[in-house]
Amino acid sequence: RNIAVNQIGYPKNFGKIAVIANDSGIFHLVDDRLGEIVHEGNTTNPVEDHMAGVSISHADFSSWTTPGIYHIELNGRKSASFTISEQPYEQVHRGLLRAFYLFRCGMELEEEYAGKWTHQACHTQEGIVYDDPSRRLDSSGGWHDAGDYGKYSGPGAKAVADLLLAYELHPQAFYQATPIPETDGKIPDILHECRYELEWLFKMQDKQSGGVFHKLTTKYFPALTIIPEKDRDDLYFLAVSATATGCFAGVMAMACRIYKSFDPEFAHHCLQAARRAWSWLEEHPDVRGFRNPMDVYTGEYGDDLDLDERYWAAGELYRTTGEVAYHTAFLDLARKAFPKYELGWADMGGYGTIAYLLNDNFEVEQDLRSSLLSGLINEADQSVRRSATDGYLISLAKTDYIWGSNMLLMNRATLLLLAYHFSGQKEYEACALEHMHYLLGRNVLDISYVTGYGDRPVMHPHHRPSVGDQVDDPVPGLVAGGPNHGLNDDYMMEHLQGKAPAQCYIDHQDSFAGNEVTIYWNSPAVFVVSHFIK
Ligand code: G3I
Ligand code: 9MR
Ligand code: ZN
C-alpha cells in the first residue's frame, strides 16, 4: 500500500493526481509547513492494474492551485512531499543536465562544480586500434557511457541529439547557468556540455577512412568498486561500424546548425566531419552489424539494421545544407521499411523523421512530410490511448518493461511533445507530463528514478563512481534504467521472480539490468523536463 506522487511537484495549472496502490477512501491534501488539511476529496473506485500488479485508485486534487509544499494522507498513510508551483522543475532540470558534467571522462572534476563527487582525470592514455595494434590514437574526453567507463559512439550521439533537440525546441529552459567550468554567459551551458562530447566524437572518426569506430573500451568491465582514475586497463578502438558512422553524421550535421551562430569555425568542422562520414556510408552500402570480438566483454550495442542511422544522417545533412544529393538519399531511404519513430540507441529513425519535419529552410516533399507527420500523430494518439487505461497514466505496455524502460518512457514523452509542437493539441502535452510524474515518483514502487531528487530517490545505482567513492549519497541527477520484466541480472532473478512488470526493479548496486544509469537515459529526461521550464 502506498500513495505515489511526483515527488518534485506539480505545475499549478496542470492536472494533479496521486495514484494509490491497494487503498481508497477520503484523502487529505496537507500543507507540510502548517500541518493543516487544505483540501479533501474521495478517491476513485479501485481497479486492478496489470502492469503494476496492484489495485489502484486516484486522488485528484487538480482544482487546488495554491503554491506550497504538501503531502497526501489517506487512512493514516502519508505520501512523499511535493510542491505545487508555477515552476516546480527548475532544480531537477539543472540536476539532470549537470549529470553530464559528472559523467565526464578525461578531466578532473573539481569541487566547485562537482560538489562531493570529485575525481581525478581518468582514461587519458592513447587507445589501441584493435584491428591494427600498431596504431595508437588520442582517445580522451567525452562522457562515460553509464555505470561502466566505456565510451560508445552511437549511444553518445543519441545523448547529444536529445540535448541539442532540447535546446533547439526549448531554448528558454537553458538561460540559467548550470554551472560548469566553461560557463561564460555567452554560449548556453548545454552547448558547452555537448561540445565536450562532440570533441571526443571527432576522435572516434577514423582519419584514414572517414568511418567511425563503434566504441572505445577496455576488454573487460572493471570491478564495481573501481573509481575512474583507477581504471587503467588498455583502451581499444573497436571496428568502424555503419551504425556508429550514421549516428556520427547525423549528430555532427545537427551540431553544425546549432553551433553556427556561436562558433562558425567549430560548426564548419562538424559539417566537414559529417560529410566525410556520409561518404564512408556511401562507399559501404552493405556492411555487417558490429559484433564484439571473442576477447572483448564490454557493452556491444549490436545493431544489424543501419538504414535508420543512414536515414537520420541524410535527414540532418539535408536540413543543414539543403543539398539535393542528401534529399534524394533521404527520399530513397524513407521508402524502406524500418521504424521511423524510435529514439533508442538501436533504432534511431525517429531523429531522421524529426529532422525532416523540422526542416523549415529547404523544400521538402509534401506527401512524405504529411505522411511522416500523420505517423507521428498516430504514435502520440496511441500513447494517449494506452495511458488512459493505465493505472499510473503512462503508455508503457508489458513489452516495454525491458532493460532501460525509463528510456522508452521518456522517448514516448518526447514524441508526445513533438506531436504537441506540430499540432498544438494540449492532451499530448498533458500526457507527456504524466510520463514525467511516473519517472519522478508516481509509480507503484513509490520511488523517484532520479538520484538525489525527491523524498524517496534511487540510492544504490549500478554506477562505479557512486559505489567506489567514499560518499554516501550517489552521484546526483542520474536516471536509473527502471523496471525490467526480463530480469536480466542475477540479483533481479533472485529477488523479483513473479513480480508484475512495473515492480521488476530493485534499488541495489548489483542490479545492472534495472538499476544502472546511462547518458542516453538522462538525455531524453532533459528534453522532456525542459519543455516544462517556462
Ligand atoms: O529489440 C528487442 C525487442 O524486439 C524485444 O521485443 C525485446 C524483449 O526482450 O527486447 C529488445 O531488445 C532489448 C535490447 O536492449 C534493445 O532494446 C533487450 O531485451 C535488452 O536486453 C537490451 O538491453 C541492452 C543491454 O545493454 C544489453 O545489451 C540495453 O538496451 C542497453 O542500454 C544496455 O547497455 C549497457 C551497455 O551494454 C554497457 N554499458 C551500460 C549499458 C546500460 O546498462
Ligand atoms: O557493470 C557492467 C554493466 O555496466 C553492464 O551494463 C552489464 C551488462 O553488460 O555488465 C556489468 O558487468 C557485470 C558483468 O556483465 C557480469 N559480472 C558482473 C559485472 C558487474 O560488476
Ligand atoms: Zn574516464
Side-chain angles (χ1 to χ4, degrees):
R1 286 202 302 171
N2 62 43
I3 308 165
V5 296
N6 180 330
Q7 298 174 16
I8 305 302
Y10 297 81
K12 78 196 246 302
N13 297 321
F14 281 85
K16 303 173 201 74
I17 289 174
V19 181
I20 295 146
N22 296 329
D23 207 354
S24 63
I26 294 176
F27 73 87
H28 294 146
L29 178 66
V30 181
D31 185 308
D32 259 22
R33 277 180 281 204
L34 306 173
E36 277 169 17
I37 297 171
V38 295
H39 177 83
E40 73 170 39
N42 260 303
T43 65
T44 56
N45 290 328
V47 290
E48 287 306 311
D49 185 84
H50 299 293
M51 290 309 125
V54 294
S55 106
I56 67 97
S57 65
H58 289 171
D60 190 334
F61 51 101
S62 302
S63 61
W64 189 261
T65 55
T66 311
I69 302 175
Y70 304 94
H71 66 267
I72 303 280
E73 287 183 14
L74 172 78
N75 298 335
R77 253 166 226 280
K78 281 180 168 187
S79 74
S81 292
F82 56 87
T83 64
I84 293 178
S85 75
E86 199 82 55
Q87 287 272 40
Y89 306 127
E90 279 180 321
Q91 282 183 20
V92 70
H93 180 250
R94 229 166 320 147
L96 288 164
L97 180 57
R98 175 175 174 244
F100 289 88
Y101 171 74
L102 297 170
F103 269 122
R104 283 191 196 185
C105 178
M107 66 181 278
E108 183 188 349
L109 301 192
E110 299 163 63
E111 197 181 337
E112 184 178 354
Y113 310 104
K116 296 183 272 185
W117 299 279
T118 56
H119 70 67
Q120 298 300 306
C122 53
H123 307 104
T124 50
Q125 75 268 41
E126 289 191 318
I128 303 165
V129 177
Y130 185 88
D131 292 322
D132 176 5
S134 65
R135 277 178 84 196
R136 311 264 155 145
L137 305 169
D138 177 13
S139 80
S140 68
W143 303 315
H144 298 134
D145 179 58
D148 65 316
Y149 299 128
K151 292 182 280 188
Y152 307 81
S153 302
K158 168 180 166 52
V160 175
D162 288 337
L163 297 182
L164 293 182
L165 208 55
Y167 173 70
E168 217 177 10
L169 291 184
H170 314 125
Q172 82 291 340
F174 301 96
Y175 291 159
Q176 266 202 50
T178 305
I180 50 177
E182 297 82 2
T183 303
D184 60 4
K186 294 188 192 116
I187 300 180
D189 284 342
I190 188 169
L191 299 189
H192 284 306
E193 194 54 62
C194 287
R195 183 161 175 170
Y196 195 76
E197 180 75 354
L198 289 164
E199 294 286 0
W200 169 76
L201 271 171
F202 284 134
K203 301 179 185 177
M204 294 304 282
Q205 185 168 39
D206 179 10
K207 300 297 167 288
Q208 295 177 355
S209 68
V212 175
F213 294 112
H214 193 75
K215 62 181 221 173
L216 174 81
T217 68
T218 52
K219 288 188 176 178
Y220 298 90
F221 288 118
L224 198 56
T225 51
I226 299 291
I227 55 173
E229 57 269 38
K230 288 281 153 60
D231 180 30
R232 299 250 174 72
D233 286 357
D234 285 342
L235 283 167
Y236 292 88
F237 285 91
L238 274 296
V240 163
S241 73
T243 52
T245 308
C247 289
F248 177 95
V251 79
M252 286 296 174
M254 194 176 187
C256 169
R257 203 169 57 241
I258 290 163
Y259 286 86
K260 201 171 229 152
S261 61
F262 296 105
D263 188 341
E265 206 177 309
F266 177 69
H268 179 72
H269 185 32
C270 292
L271 184 58
Q272 293 300 103
R275 288 184 188 281
R276 187 114 203 272
W278 178 260
S279 303
W280 186 95
L281 290 170
E282 286 199 312
E283 290 154 19
H284 300 83
D286 203 13
V287 277
R288 289 232 313 270
F290 177 82
R291 286 282 173 278
N292 267 338
M294 291 293 284
D295 61 341
V296 173
Y297 295 90
T298 42
E300 181 165 75
Y301 292 112
D303 173 11
D304 290 329
L305 186 69
D306 59 37
L307 291 173
D308 49 329
E309 286 83 5
R310 290 170 189 265
Y311 170 79
W312 181 28
E316 251 3 298
L317 277 160
Y318 181 55
R319 186 175 170 207
T320 297
T321 67
E323 289 171 22
V324 178
Y326 296 127
H327 196 198
T328 311
F330 184 84
L331 296 176
D332 284 346
L333 285 158
R335 267 178 233 116
K336 309 203 164 149
F338 57 84
K340 303 225 166 54
Y341 303 95
E342 291 290 329
L343 305 168
W345 56 260
D347 295 319
M348 304 288 275
Y351 295 101
T353 299
I354 293 168
Y356 204 65
L357 292 177
L358 289 173
N359 193 341
D360 302 324
N361 290 326
F362 304 106
E363 214 169 301
V364 295
E365 202 172 82
Q366 282 311 322
D367 287 351
L368 176 59
R369 188 179 190 281
S370 345
S371 92
L372 289 175
L373 183 56
S374 57
L376 173 68
I377 299 296
N378 185 41
E379 292 283 322
D381 286 338
Q382 272 184 41
S383 293
V384 168
R385 259 199 308 276
R386 254 188 264 130
S387 303
T389 63
D390 182 83
Y392 289 82
L393 303 170
I394 58 165
S395 63
L396 296 190
K398 190 170 178 190
T399 47
D400 296 325
Y401 287 94
I402 56 175
W403 196 324
S405 61
N406 283 337
M407 177 187 80
L408 277 69
L409 177 86
M410 287 294 103
N411 285 351
R412 287 281 163 69
T414 297
L415 290 181
L416 280 159
L417 290 171
L418 284 158
Y420 172 65
H421 174 87
F422 290 112
S423 70
Q425 289 271 345
K426 287 267 184 202
E427 62 176 336
Y428 298 146
E429 183 188 40
C431 189
L433 183 58
E434 307 292 8
H435 285 65
M436 198 168 106
H437 291 336
Y438 168 104
L439 186 79
L440 295 172
R442 201 182 65 189
N443 51 64
V444 66
L445 300 177
D446 190 20
I447 188 169
S448 163
Y449 285 114
V450 182
T451 58
Y453 290 85
D455 265 3
R456 302 161 190 177
V458 169
M459 289 303 288
H460 308 287
H462 183 86
H463 178 238
R464 285 172 176 73
S466 295
V467 174
D469 65 16
Q470 300 303 311
V471 181
D472 280 345
D473 292 330
V475 171
L478 309 178
V479 174
N484 173 6
H485 200 34
L487 306 183
N488 304 90
D489 65 55
D490 292 347
Y491 201 85
M492 294 184 111
M493 272 296 209
E494 199 177 318
H495 294 89
L496 299 169
Q497 289 294 344
K499 297 268 188 200
Q503 290 195 39
C504 289
Y505 168 87
I506 188 159
D507 184 11
H508 192 280
Q509 64 188 38
D510 291 344
S511 178
F512 54 79
N515 211 26
E516 191 162 355
V517 298
T518 74
I519 51 173
Y520 55 91
W521 299 338
N522 258 74
S523 58
V526 169
F527 180 90
V528 174
V529 179
S530 67
H531 177 86
F532 296 95
I533 308 284
K534 304 290 170 200

